[in-house]
Amino acid sequence: MGTIKKTEVLFKDNTKKEEAGKWFKISRRAALLVNKEHVDEAFIPKDLAYEDNKKTVEQVAIAIAHHMPVLLIGETGTGKTSLVRHLASKTNNAFVRVNHNGGTTIEDIAGRWVINKDGETVWLDGILIEAMKKGFWFLADEINAASAEVNFIYHSLLDDDGRVLLAEKGNEVVIPHPNFRFFGAMNPPAEYAGTKELNKALISRFMVVQVDFPAPKTEQKILMERTGIEEDVAERMVRFAGEVRVNHAKEQIRFVLSTRDLLMWGMMYKVYKKYMLSAEMSIINKIPQDDYESVKDMLTLNFKELDKDPVVAVGATGTEEVLF
């Protein structure tokens, strides 16, 4: 995307810095300039507490500062989308996401002719084109599930001239707004149905960042802050997730327990106060048939004894009632 004006990045000695403007500091090596332009607040992500690998955030931030497209690769629920949303929120940038599937068409991405309420034929920009024109951050989620014709548009955008030609609109050339950024995200293709290896010519256009699950202490902190569960509960859940992930890495099971799953488990635990019961909706019912018995046995081994005490509720009359 060489036609776009380059944004400065803050390096080790902090010398490259615009005189005016506010910066969001990521590390001593990198910071991003906060967008001063007026942005529709509906498109600015809500700022959530974000705890993750600072090296990963730094890598993405440096790529953003240099207008380099970023491809995030990692298991489902590792926080790929959350990372981009976090940086967009902190820098006052609008964010849009397209989740690619079999129904995502070139018209959704680039645009199409439609008939308006007055009976006139007018052009309606697709999500990518609108983002390019308005300076939004655009995330192509599950990019390796995109169709060949959609990837052709991405190829064009990520070429050296960094623009898109709309042949259907009289060969209009769309040049990105200086604030526009392009991100791709994908799960490992060998493990997820409906996905494929990304075209080598397309992947070569990206800076590629591997997004792993948070460190155990970080993941515990996320659970405690987002769900309000106690530290010992969060520690047990994270430790169990680690066991599942080890078995997944050894290819003993296909199922992997994500941070997103843990958050749901934590929320249910706040209600039921029992590990197995709260895991039913958040984990157990998601397990593929091939892994069902193995993962459920692991849950039982780790948590059945802890669930022995009954859950007691105090009714409106002040009497206690055993719920489970």
Side-chain angles (χ1 to χ4, degrees):
M1 302 166 75
T3 59
I4 305 175
K5 181 182 176 183
K6 186 177 286 187
T7 303
E8 296 286 6
V9 63
L10 188 64
F11 289 105
K12 283 184 179 180
D13 58 1
N14 294 353
T15 54
K16 286 194 174 185
K17 191 173 184 180
E18 291 188 3
E19 291 182 6
K22 183 180 178 182
W23 292 80
F24 171 57
K25 185 175 180 181
I26 287 89
S27 70
R28 62 187 179 87
R29 283 183 288 265
L32 293 172
L33 188 63
V34 175
N35 181 18
K36 295 186 292 184
E37 294 187 11
H38 174 73
V39 180
D40 186 342
E41 290 187 3
F43 289 98
I44 300 176
K46 181 181 178 181
D47 186 21
L48 291 174
Y50 184 81
E51 297 285 344
D52 217 324
N53 189 322
K54 285 184 169 52
K55 178 185 175 184
T56 304
V57 179
E58 179 185 88
Q59 290 173 335
V60 174
I62 291 173
I64 291 170
H66 286 278
H67 288 263
M68 296 177 181
V70 182
L71 178 63
L72 304 163
I73 301 178
E75 294 282 358
T76 183
T78 50
K80 299 183 292 293
T81 300
S82 297
L83 194 162
V84 181
R85 289 175 60 90
H86 168 69
L87 292 176
S89 176
K90 290 295 187 182
T91 56
N92 194 45
N93 279 287
F95 169 85
V96 291
R97 180 182 102 169
V98 171
N99 196 308
H100 293 84
N101 53 54
T104 308
T105 67
I106 190 69
E107 288 80 12
D108 297 326
I109 302 300
R112 61 187 181 274
W113 291 101
V114 298
I115 298 175
N116 66 14
K117 61 182 181 180
D118 298 321
E120 302 169 328
T121 302
V122 295
W123 177 263
L124 179 66
D125 284 333
I127 301 173
L128 173 66
I129 301 303
E130 182 180 10
M132 290 174 66
K133 290 179 177 179
K134 294 182 178 179
F136 292 180
W137 289 14
F138 177 90
L139 173 62
D141 205 0
E142 310 292 354
I143 191 172
N144 55 333
S147 66
E149 59 180 358
V150 168
N151 276 337
F152 181 79
I153 290 285
Y154 295 156
H155 268 275
S156 177
L157 170 63
L158 301 179
D159 272 340
D160 291 338
D161 58 359
R163 57 189 66 190
V164 170
L165 177 70
L166 296 176
E168 298 84 356
K169 197 184 176 188
N171 291 327
E172 177 185 335
V173 176
V174 182
I175 300 175
H177 183 287
N179 291 337
F180 173 76
R181 298 292 186 278
F182 187 92
F183 305 87
M186 57 184 275
N187 301 319
E191 300 174 16
Y192 294 85
T195 62
K196 55 187 179 295
E197 290 284 354
L198 201 61
N199 181 291
K200 289 182 179 179
L202 181 57
I203 201 171
S204 69
R205 288 160 165 78
F206 285 100
M207 293 288 286
V208 179
V209 176
Q210 188 71 38
V211 183
D212 297 318
F213 289 111
K217 289 294 184 185
T218 301
E219 199 162 32
Q220 284 176 221
K221 186 177 179 182
I222 292 170
L223 286 183
M224 292 164 63
E225 289 181 351
R226 301 263 189 101
T227 69
I229 59 178
E230 298 297 325
E231 183 177 0
D232 60 331
V233 176
E235 184 179 0
R236 290 188 188 103
M237 289 180 173
V238 169
R239 187 167 58 242
F240 174 73
E243 291 179 22
V244 173
R245 292 165 191 168
V246 167
N247 286 331
H248 174 78
K250 292 178 179 178
E251 298 184 353
Q252 294 176 357
I253 57 174
R254 291 171 51 208
F255 180 72
V256 62
L257 197 56
S258 71
T259 305
R260 185 185 299 127
D261 294 326
L262 289 178
L263 287 168
M264 293 180 185
W265 192 12
M267 290 174 189
M268 290 298 97
Y269 185 87
K270 283 285 287 184
V271 177
Y272 291 116
K273 305 298 183 187
K274 284 184 175 287
Y275 293 96
M276 295 295 293
L277 189 61
S278 57
E280 188 172 328
M281 288 186 294
S282 55
I283 298 174
I284 295 173
N285 291 343
K286 298 178 182 178
I287 303 171
Q289 187 174 355
D290 292 346
D291 297 330
Y292 186 86
E293 293 301 330
S294 298
V295 178
K296 191 171 182 182
D297 286 347
M298 291 172 66
L299 271 165
T300 302
L301 184 64
N302 279 272
F303 299 108
K304 186 176 180 180
E305 287 297 315
L306 295 169
D307 280 346
K308 277 191 171 182
D309 293 335
V311 175
V312 178
V314 179
T317 61
T319 58
E320 293 186 347
E321 178 185 357
V322 177
L323 299 180
F324 311 109

